Each structure stands twice: as C-alpha cells, then as structure tokens.
Amino acid sequence: MLLILFAAILLVGKSAEALADEQPKYAIIPFPAKLIPKEGKFIVSAKTNLVFNDGLANEGTFLKSILQNYFPKVIFQTNAKSKTHTIELLLDPSIEATEGYELYVDSKKITIKGKTSTGIFYGLQTLAQLLPVKSKDANTNLKQVSVPAVEIIDSPRYAYRGMHLDVGRHFFPIDFIKKYIDLIAMHRMNTFHWHLTEDQGWRIEIKKYPRLTEIGSKRKETMLAKNFDPYKGDGIPVEGFYTQEQVKDIVAYATTKHVTIIPEIELPGHSLAALAAYPELGNGTGPYEVGTKWGVFDQIYAPKEETFKFLEDVLTEVIALFPGKYIHIGGDEAPKTEWKKSELAQSIIQKEGLKDEHGLQSYFIQRIEKFLNSKGREIIGWDEILEGGLAPNATVMSWRGIQGGIEAAKQHHTVIMTPGEYCYFDHYQSKDVDKEPLAIGGFTSVEKVYSYEPTPAELSPEQSKFILGAQGNVWTEYMKTSDYVEYMVLPRMSALSEVLWSPKENRNWDDFKNRLQVLTKRFDSAGLKYAKHAVEAE
Ligand code: ACM
C-alpha cells in the first residue's frame, strides 16, 4: 500500500506545497520597497473567504482568477463574516503613494491595503508571486497552497513605467495585445505605448479617412532578412489594422489592468503608409507605396494646411478612443530633404520667420501640440523634438542616448528615458548571434538592462524630478510573430520593471538572478516564450 502511495506521489510530481518549500520564499519581481519576513504561513484552501467592497469588484475578480489557477473548481465565499481564513482587500486613504499598497500575511489572514484600487491591484500582483509556482501539468485537485507570512510596505520609485510595441512593422492580433498588457501589469508597470502608424503600415481605423486602412494597412511584401541592397522581397503580403471597436475593447481591458495606453500617431516622418493613402499630403514627390523595407525615408508630410486639417481630424478620432492624458506624436527621424526642396515649405519658413527646416519641424509640432492642448491632452515626442525648439508643454522621450533627456529636464520639461543601449529590446540578448533569431543589431543583455539608472547623475535634485521614468522599446522589423516579441521582451522587461519600481539602493543583480529563476518557472507555467539562456547562471 505504502509503495503504491509512493509511486502515486512520484507520478503526480511534486505538490505545489513542496515546490513552495523549495523556492526562495519571497521571489518577487519587482522587489518591494520594504519587506519584513515573518514566521509562519497562511493556508489558502476552499475554506478561504474573500472580502472586498463594491468599489473593488475588479480587484476581487482578479484575486479570484489568481486563486482559480490553483483551485479551478472552487467557488470562493465572498464578504463572509469570518475573521479567519480571510483574504481582505481594503481601501485605506492613510496610505500616501497613489500606487502604494501594504500586504500583511499571517496564519489567520491576508490583508491588502491601498490608497487606490491601483495600489490594491499591485498588492495582488505581489501576492500572486508569493504563491507557489504551479507547473503546467500539475494536479488540478490541490487541497491547499500556502503563502509565507510577511509584511510588505511598497510603492514605486518612478511614476512612469512603460513598455512600447511597434505594430506598424508587423501587425499583432488583439489577443496578443491583451497578453502584452497582462505582462505589463504583472510587472507592476503602468503604461503601454502603442506605436500605431509607420512607413510600413497604418494600423488604426480612422472613419473620416478610410483609405488609411484600405490602402495604408497593407503592404505587398516584406524585405527578406537584411537584403537592403540589392533589395530582395519575400513576396508575402502583410496587412492588418484595429477597428475602433477593437481599440475600445483593448482600452477597456487595459483599464481593468491599471494600464494606461498612449497611442502614437507619427508625424511628420515615418508616414509613408499615410502618404500612400493620401498622396496630396506629401511634398509632391509621389506616387507613394507602403514601405516594404526598413529604414528612414525622405518622404514626409508637407507642412501645409491640408495636412494640419487631416492630422487634427485623425487626432480628434484618436482622442475619442484613448482617455489618457498623453498622445505621442512621434517626431523622430524626419529627414528635411524634401522640405529643403519644397517651395511651399520654404515659403512657410520665410513667412513664419523660422530659422531653417528644424525650425519648421518645431513649428509643425507646436501647431499639433496647441491643438491637442486645446482638447486637454499633452504631447510626448521622441528627442528630435528638441531640435528647432521644444513645444512649450511637451514631454520628451530620450532614445538617442540620454542627452536629449538631460537637455529637456534642464529646460524643465518632463522626460521619459528610453536610451537604445539599455531600453531597446529589439537588440540581441546574447553575443552568440548565430543562435538567436534575427535582430536589428546591438547587444543588450538582461544584466545590462538591470544596471540601468534612469536619473542621469549630472541632473540636480530639482532637475531630476522631471524624469518621470523609463520604457522598454520593441521595434518589430524582424519580429514577425507574437512568440518572437515575447522572447525579445522576457526577461528583459522583468529587469526593467525592478529598475523602475524598487529603491535604487536595494537593487542587487545576484539576488535578482535568483528571483528570476522562480519567475521564469512562472513563465514556463504560463507557456510564455523567453530567452532562457539569458537567465542561466554564468
Ligand atoms: C526610434 O527608435 N526611431 C525612436
């Protein structure tokens, strides 16, 4: 009999309980600001009561979904009177930080307090990482799992904790966009920068300008690998866009995950797909074709009234879909070749008393900013918007290194840091590039990302306040599938999340690496793709 039992144990593998004893107790990423280990544990079972009030229905649902991962058949009691076996979610105005939370676990009770539902949501994300890793094929009839006793008092270091995704170069389905939002939320990051328009594809329905998607969302093929010259295409058409209904659904989904979406509508460059649809908005250099190879193209919008009317109409529809305060307007990599030759562009430089074509770009962006400000929104632009003079209220996204961010902060403009060296997740993760999927180049290891310090040392404490945070950028020229995107972001975004959340003095690479071993088991359990070699001990 004993032998049969023993064999049965071997067959079902380790229990979740056994796994919990093996894994480091507090393998949380990003690691909380303050964590006090305690003796003992809380047992979660079918007897556990969930207590939360009406204002926290969304978080209550999230709590249930976390537990259902272990107990798929149990319907948990809610709002029970019991004072034991309880997990309670509680709004607490005395907590200072908007996104802050406190999490208390003892043998009788788990309590998560937050100033806001966002704080409570983050407390739940932390709780999810205190539960044992459940292997994909684990027994679904678990009787109980345990949570180690602990006291956590936590809030983020930076207010802006973002991930970007380029859906212009390659289109990704709605289910993946939601999964990406889940990953952002899981890492207690709060912003999804959705890069929706590109030379190679316009991906958002604009009702007033149907050709943007009829023509601009389709390209006849994609450059094969890196066959720039001589050009070689793959002959396979690429298309796709999000309808406004789908966008609304994604925005609503992101809201439940406490993620704000910042849409990006590129201007005046990276606009070839829009020009293919509406060639009259160009500098008379058409006809245009949706891009099939990568790079920076000379064809940009003409700075004429028809273009401003078009962009204001487009942005009006975009504003109606996205409730967040920021609209990203691009501004990067807009060659001035066409404006130099264009009579119209030159006449505006003259008429407006602008210094040169950079002054004209600044004029262009300031007009868009004025429009968006009049609608109660603020602009973010890539650091090229510094050239020719910053728009008065603009936030700068520093990508060509950190200098743009430093300059903007010194001018008292808010800044989001995304320097290529640390924050471009389209770079290779390993030096062994032959073993990696094709990437744009570069080398940005997980350790490199972890070493990033978003606040430049040369800024004064006063200037440092303008650094809102940082973001990982994911340009998808060479990422044709969502699995590929997952592989490129995981676990680099895990490293970035800790850079952005945890106090600087608490950061410790060796400790992070240990905790990452547990997190990647969770990735395995969820069937996520990630760069395994990037986390293996060196
Ligand atoms: C960028 O990478 N062109 C912002």
Side-chain angles (χ1 to χ4, degrees):
M1 182 62 200
L2 215 59
L3 209 64
I4 293 170
L5 196 68
F6 186 61
I9 288 170
L10 278 182
L11 272 177
V12 296
K14 287 172 185 149
S15 69
E17 197 59 25
L19 274 171
D21 290 340
E22 264 173 33
Q23 78 191 37
K25 253 185 177 176
Y26 309 109
I28 303 161
I29 292 177
F31 202 71
K34 188 171 171 197
L35 183 149
I36 305 163
K38 298 276 171 185
E39 287 301 317
K41 60 190 172 188
F42 178 90
I43 304 290
V44 185
S45 72
K47 281 197 287 188
T48 303
N49 301 297
L50 313 183
V51 182
F52 50 91
N53 61 28
D54 290 347
L56 295 171
N58 175 58
E59 288 61 45
T61 304
F62 180 48
L63 170 58
K64 282 184 214 166
S65 75
I66 292 171
L67 300 182
Q68 253 143 24
N69 190 27
Y70 301 88
F71 307 98
K73 294 185 187 130
V74 173
I75 296 169
F76 287 95
Q77 302 286 317
T78 53
N79 292 319
K81 296 235 163 56
S82 167
K83 292 284 172 235
T84 57
H85 307 298
T86 299
I87 304 179
E88 185 173 20
L89 312 181
L90 206 60
L91 285 169
D92 181 349
S94 75
I95 290 176
E96 241 173 69
T98 315
E99 297 178 293
Y101 68 92
E102 297 178 7
L103 168 56
Y104 302 95
V105 179
D106 63 29
S107 60
K108 293 199 177 97
K109 198 171 172 183
I110 295 179
T111 309
I112 299 178
K113 296 181 185 180
K115 187 190 190 78
T116 62
S117 58
T118 306
I120 288 174
F121 180 77
Y122 290 145
L124 287 167
Q125 291 288 4
T126 296
L127 175 64
Q129 292 193 42
L130 289 171
L131 283 156
V133 178
K134 183 169 163 277
S135 76
K136 229 166 143 184
D137 39 19
N139 185 352
T140 50
N141 290 314
L142 293 172
K143 291 274 178 286
Q144 61 178 57
V145 292
S146 69
V147 180
V150 74
E151 210 177 293
I152 292 174
I153 296 168
D154 199 13
S155 60
R157 180 177 171 204
Y158 289 100
Y160 186 106
R161 306 178 303 281
M163 283 297 295
H164 153 284
L165 183 65
D166 163 19
V167 298
R169 271 56 176 264
H170 281 98
F171 175 77
F172 301 98
I174 291 164
D175 283 352
F176 180 69
I177 301 298
K178 289 183 176 173
K179 194 177 187 186
Y180 201 72
I181 289 167
D182 287 344
L183 286 175
I184 291 172
M186 174 190 165
H187 286 91
R188 306 205 296 281
M189 296 171 102
N190 59 9
T191 308
F192 171 39
H193 171 177
W194 202 3
H195 184 82
L196 285 162
T197 71
E198 255 307 334
D199 296 309
Q200 297 84 3
W202 182 283
R203 306 281 178 222
I204 178 170
E205 177 191 28
I206 300 295
K207 297 204 191 270
K208 197 160 185 177
Y209 298 96
R211 292 213 305 274
L212 283 172
T213 44
E214 283 165 17
I215 292 169
S217 75
K218 300 171 185 173
R219 66 171 179 263
K220 66 176 190 228
E221 63 176 7
T222 303
M223 184 175 72
L224 207 53
K226 293 190 179 176
N227 292 283
F228 284 96
D229 190 16
Y231 171 82
K232 208 152 77 185
D234 64 4
I236 303 167
V238 173
E239 65 177 280
F241 68 92
Y242 308 97
T243 66
Q244 294 202 353
E245 282 312 304
Q246 290 168 334
V247 170
K248 281 183 206 161
D249 173 54
I250 289 168
V251 169
Y253 183 79
T255 305
T256 69
K257 303 289 172 180
H258 298 269
V259 169
T260 301
I261 304 184
I262 297 178
E264 180 177 356
I265 304 296
E266 270 268 12
L267 56 92
H270 285 296
S271 302
L272 195 49
L275 293 178
Y278 295 96
E280 61 274 25
L281 303 178
N283 294 288
T285 50
Y288 307 100
E289 189 185 27
V290 179
T292 64
K293 68 174 177 182
W294 318 124
V296 175
F297 300 105
D298 284 344
Q299 294 86 354
I300 67 173
Y301 289 123
K304 57 186 172 192
E305 290 310 309
E306 293 89 320
T307 306
F308 289 113
K309 169 83 172 73
F310 164 82
L311 289 170
E312 289 180 6
D313 289 343
V314 166
L315 289 168
T316 298
E317 292 193 29
V318 169
I319 287 169
L321 294 168
F322 294 93
K325 130 170 142 175
Y326 292 116
I327 305 287
H328 201 303
I329 52 77
D332 61 319
E333 298 180 323
K336 306 301 180 289
T337 322
E338 292 195 343
W339 288 359
K340 280 197 173 110
K341 292 183 193 150
S342 152
E343 262 179 43
L344 178 118
Q346 292 303 318
S347 73
I348 296 171
I349 291 176
Q350 290 270 311
K351 191 172 95 200
E352 299 292 334
L354 306 170
K355 192 158 161 257
D356 55 13
E357 292 75 21
H358 292 298
L360 182 54
Q361 163 143 337
S362 173
Y363 163 85
F364 197 115
I365 288 178
Q366 291 200 35
R367 278 192 61 162
I368 298 295
E369 178 183 71
K370 214 167 171 182
F371 174 75
L372 285 169
N373 285 171
S374 78
K375 306 284 179 195
R377 305 304 177 96
E378 291 183 22
I379 67 163
I380 303 178
W382 299 108
D383 58 42
E384 285 92 332
I385 68 168
L386 280 151
E387 294 161 7
L390 261 184
N393 306 309
T395 295
V396 171
M397 211 167 241
S398 188
W399 72 279
R400 297 174 301 175
I402 62 171
Q403 212 46 47
I406 292 170
E407 213 177 302
K410 285 186 174 168
Q411 291 183 37
H412 292 187
H413 280 253
T414 41
V415 172
I416 296 152
M417 300 302 276
T418 66
E421 207 183 331
Y422 299 92
C423 295
Y424 268 47
F425 298 166
D426 55 346
H427 289 171
Y428 282 107
Q429 310 190 58
S430 153
K431 283 191 172 141
D432 211 352
V433 296
D434 294 341
K435 292 196 183 134
E436 292 292 309
L438 186 66
I440 201 154
F443 171 57
T444 302
S445 65
V446 187
E447 186 168 7
K448 179 96 183 178
V449 177
Y450 195 77
S451 75
Y452 183 49
E453 170 48 39
T455 302
E458 68 183 89
L459 293 182
S460 70
E462 198 50 43
Q463 290 162 342
S464 297
K465 290 185 188 146
F466 291 94
I467 308 294
L468 300 179
Q471 171 177 287
N473 288 346
V474 185
W475 302 101
T476 60
E477 285 94 335
Y478 300 98
M479 300 179 208
K480 290 175 193 284
T481 66
S482 44
D483 279 0
Y484 198 156
V485 173
E486 259 172 51
Y487 177 87
M488 295 301 273
V489 302
L490 297 175
R492 287 189 282 200
M493 72 181 283
S494 313
L496 184 63
S497 78
E498 190 149 306
V499 167
L500 290 168
W501 184 285
S502 307
K504 184 180 172 185
E505 59 277 14
N506 289 3
R507 257 164 44 206
N508 178 316
W509 169 244
D510 288 328
D511 188 60
F512 174 79
K513 261 198 311 191
N514 287 337
R515 285 179 281 116
L516 194 54
Q517 299 295 333
V518 178
L519 187 62
T520 54
K521 287 196 183 99
R522 294 186 199 279
F523 293 163
D524 286 332
S525 167
L528 291 161
K529 307 284 179 294
Y530 62 95
K532 279 196 174 64
H533 59 77
V535 294
E536 277 156 9
E538 282 124 40

